[in-house]
Amino acid sequence: MVEVESGSQGRKLRFVIIGAGMAGVLAGIKCKERGEEFTIYEKGDKVGGTWRENHYPGLACDTPAHTYSYSFAHNPDWSSYFAPGPEIREYFQAMADRYGVSEHIVFNAEIAECRWQEGRWHIRTKDGRSDVADVIVAATGVLHHPKIADIPGLNSFAGPYFHSARWDHSVEIDGKKIGVIGTGSTGVQIVSALCKRAGKLVHFQRSPQWIMPSTNPPYSEAQRAAFRADPTLIDAERNAPEALARRARFTAAIIDKDSPELAEIEAIVAKNLQDSVADPALRAKLTPNYRAACKRMVFSGDYYRSVQESTVYIETGAIDHVEPSGIRMKDGTFHELDVIALATGFHADRFVRPMTVIGENGEDLSDFWSERPRAYFAVTVPHFPNFFLLNGPTGPVGNFSLTDIAERQWEYSDQLLNLVREGKAQAIAPSMEALLDYETRRKAAAMNTVFASGCSSWYLDSEGVPQVWPWSYPYFLDVMANPRFEDYQLIGAADDDGDDEKKSSAAG
Ligand code: NAP
């Protein structure tokens, strides 16, 4: 176990962290580092979050492995440039063990309610445990409520069917007739992994995807030994000028649909399709009618090869219903199937819900979020004191390293909490005015992103506004490093009259 130095000063805080995925383990490590008391409640039975829940064939992360690791805990042993899912889960497990976080995790403990009462959070789990904390860190993840396609007759299917995040490995795949519904990153990875194993594979494509070509070179033992001997080589890998330039170009492309960078990406993906798929009829099927990166960009080096296997058929018609032995299309075509995999995505607007979170004056987070999930700079919420979201609503998503994002959001939260540690307040929350101003600016900018250029995707809220960070990555770094304290209210700050229930601005 790594001994970490306590960097905390002033009042010690007690944290409850919700979720033991990448962000929750990070929060645990940071609490440990500061010498703060904390407990992590995890509804599952092990560490890993999305990497615990997803274990479908072909699962990998399309963010380079060295970039997806914590900045302070390099891993010289990644097997390849993009790591397979199970390796990533093991990495976060290893980090929880190495930094002494594991013993603070309570597994199989789903939080039912968090209630702000008398200046502290009162927590209750579904199985009746309770806890009290000064601070809540909600590290519940974004994509963790499977969206089961509402297809008539699905329940009547005689064979096994399951969502991609609930893969049943006891089900025989080899030589079987498999139907995969959905062409997001998940569906593309599953089809690429199963095309040679299935006897027949039908990929049900409601919308085709633009595919960014990518390769995944393995790291040789010699390279891994070099990383072990000299960790600065890993820093060099993380900060390679071409990787940074690629990220800058990608960000420029997504935040401005009229940018030359987006035109460049469009040319790359169009050429990839043209060069990779020989048959013009198949190429036509695979050609999207929306702009590249409008839906979350899919990276794959083998999908186009996979769909040209003789076992694979791309079905572009509309599904009518499921029958006991297969799927009937609206034009009457029938696909006989043994297994159906639903790669139909997630309810991306849930975040901490369905948990009940009650803030100041009985404010219910689910009411506060009834239109859309809202958080000031994606981290804090008015009326919910000392409540911090990692990878919360409107943060940067989509082909970025969420690990890096969570680290920056932690640093932001930590700076705000220093006001509490220093005794300037009992708790802190952003003002409603600050959130409304942020949302007005964010929504206007979001409508200029490529995500609003005319396609459906899980980025869009119920009004069609992308629920995303619409600005540049350097701007994100800047706002996370420099919180606007004047936009926060200090709750329980002692005023000149000694009225410690008073709220004042952190600027005052
Ligand atoms: P997704 O991107 O939301 O894709 C869902 C797919 O299901 C879409 O193709 C959608 O079609 C289709 N679909 C939904 N309901 C349907 C229905 N009733 N009939 C037919 N098709 C239906 O979900 P995902 O692929 O699971 O990916 C979600 C996110 O997870 C990704 O965007 C990414 O952020 C993350 N992810 C990352 C990686 C990685 O490598 N890092 C891997 C997997 C997932 P339409 O497009 O027509 O709506």
Side-chain angles (χ1 to χ4, degrees):
M1 186 177 111
V2 171
E3 284 300 321
V4 280
E5 258 181 51
S6 165
S8 50
Q9 289 167 352
R11 182 183 156 197
K12 289 277 180 222
L13 300 173
R14 170 157 172 72
F15 287 67
V16 157
I17 298 163
I18 312 175
M22 169 276 286
V25 171
L26 168 77
I29 294 171
K30 294 294 178 179
C31 281
K32 196 95 187 170
E33 201 173 300
R34 272 198 158 275
E36 308 277 29
E37 251 187 66
F38 68 101
T39 301
I40 302 180
Y41 289 92
E42 167 54 59
K43 69 178 179 198
D45 61 358
K46 50 183 193 244
V47 162
T50 197
W51 305 105
R52 181 196 66 237
E53 295 198 353
N54 287 281
H55 37 76
Y56 57 78
L59 173 69
C61 181
D62 58 17
T63 299
H66 283 299
T67 311
Y68 197 74
S69 325
Y70 297 134
S71 61
F72 51 86
H74 294 347
N75 174 20
D77 294 317
W78 293 119
S79 62
S80 51
Y81 187 73
F82 298 111
E87 241 177 79
I88 300 175
R89 199 209 71 77
E90 279 158 27
Y91 166 80
F92 290 120
Q93 176 72 66
M95 294 307 107
D97 294 342
R98 184 197 289 182
Y99 288 91
V101 168
S102 294
E103 55 259 38
H104 294 259
I105 305 175
V106 183
F107 289 106
N108 302 307
E110 183 171 349
I111 293 183
E113 183 183 276
C114 303
R115 188 178 284 273
W116 179 255
Q117 258 174 343
E118 291 157 9
R120 296 191 90 193
W121 283 105
H122 295 255
I123 291 103
R124 192 170 49 76
T125 65
K126 273 194 166 169
D127 61 1
R129 287 174 244 213
S130 56
D131 203 342
V132 181
D134 303 299
V135 181
I136 286 189
V137 178
T140 51
V142 188
L143 302 172
H144 58 113
H145 291 283
K147 195 182 200 173
I148 306 290
D150 186 16
I151 302 173
L154 189 56
N155 288 337
S156 74
F157 187 60
Y161 67 93
F162 38 77
H163 188 272
S164 53
R166 301 286 181 271
W167 197 273
D168 182 349
H169 292 275
S170 69
V171 170
E172 186 67 62
I173 293 295
D174 296 314
K176 300 291 182 192
K177 296 186 278 295
I178 316 288
V180 177
I181 304 177
T183 52
S185 304
T186 304
V188 163
Q189 289 184 342
I190 293 172
V191 167
S192 304
L194 297 189
C195 66
K196 287 205 164 78
R197 291 178 55 194
K200 167 186 152 189
L201 196 159
V202 184
H203 197 183
F204 293 88
Q205 172 194 278
R206 187 163 71 180
S207 317
Q209 283 281 359
W210 288 113
I211 308 278
M212 179 59 78
S214 104
T215 54
N216 189 15
Y219 287 117
S220 66
E221 186 38 51
Q223 279 172 303
R224 290 200 290 267
F227 286 142
R228 275 193 289 275
D230 180 4
T232 64
L233 294 176
I234 297 178
D235 289 318
E237 189 93 347
R238 287 168 65 92
N239 302 315
E242 58 280 18
L244 299 184
R246 211 169 32 244
R247 183 171 63 196
R249 277 202 306 278
F250 188 74
T251 316
I254 60 174
I255 64 175
D256 178 4
K257 54 184 181 284
D258 299 319
S259 62
E261 288 83 358
L262 183 59
E264 195 189 327
I265 287 177
E266 289 182 307
I268 294 170
V269 295
K271 184 170 182 326
N272 186 31
L273 177 58
Q274 179 70 30
D275 292 353
S276 312
V277 179
D279 172 13
L282 180 59
R283 216 161 48 226
K285 274 184 169 182
L286 293 167
T287 305
N289 64 358
Y290 56 85
R291 302 192 65 183
C294 182
K295 289 176 190 282
R296 200 259 194 192
M297 181 63 84
V298 174
F299 289 73
S300 177
D302 47 15
Y303 180 67
Y304 286 149
R305 202 166 46 239
S306 307
V307 299
Q308 292 174 85
E309 292 284 341
S310 58
T311 46
V312 178
Y313 180 72
I314 301 282
E315 174 56 84
T316 57
I319 295 173
D320 189 69
H321 65 275
V322 178
E323 296 180 12
S325 57
I327 295 184
R328 178 79 61 189
M329 310 307 293
K330 287 221 185 290
D331 68 2
T333 308
F334 184 68
H335 295 284
E336 194 178 322
L337 298 169
D338 301 314
V339 181
I340 299 175
L342 301 162
T344 43
F346 298 85
H347 295 283
D349 62 345
R350 297 277 170 93
F351 294 95
V352 298
R353 294 176 286 183
M355 191 186 308
T356 301
V357 184
I358 307 290
E360 278 186 302
N361 306 321
E363 182 83 57
D364 188 328
L365 187 65
S366 139
D367 296 336
F368 194 75
W369 280 0
S370 60
E371 264 178 43
R372 63 171 66 80
R374 300 177 291 172
Y376 179 60
F377 282 114
V379 181
T380 50
V381 187
H383 310 306
F384 295 83
N386 288 357
F387 184 82
F388 299 89
L389 292 140
L390 298 181
N391 293 129
T394 75
V397 289
N399 308 105
F400 290 103
S401 168
L402 289 185
T403 310
D404 174 62
I405 304 303
E407 283 192 34
R408 310 289 176 166
Q409 291 173 332
W410 174 270
E411 283 159 21
Y412 176 86
S413 311
D414 201 40
Q415 288 191 63
L416 292 168
L417 281 173
N418 279 340
L419 297 175
V420 179
R421 292 187 182 102
E422 289 160 9
K424 296 199 169 118
Q426 192 172 25
I428 184 159
S431 70
M432 196 60 203
E433 294 71 34
L435 174 71
L436 293 178
D437 175 62
Y438 165 78
E439 275 291 271
T440 303
R441 290 188 299 113
R442 188 196 64 76
K443 285 195 275 179
M447 292 312 286
N448 195 41
T449 64
V450 68
F451 307 126
S453 66
C455 68
S456 63
S457 79
W458 63 265
Y459 291 145
L460 303 183
D461 69 16
S462 56
E463 291 166 357
V465 181
Q467 271 282 88
V468 295
W469 183 264
W471 300 292
S472 72
Y473 180 70
Y475 179 61
F476 173 72
L477 295 187
D478 183 40
V479 294
M480 290 296 100
N482 303 293
R484 286 171 53 89
F485 292 107
E486 63 271 33
D487 289 344
Y488 278 85
Q489 289 184 326
L490 302 181
I491 298 154
D495 69 356
D496 291 344
D497 308 326
D499 172 12
D500 55 30
E501 283 312 304
K502 186 180 151 100
K503 279 186 189 177
S504 64
S505 158

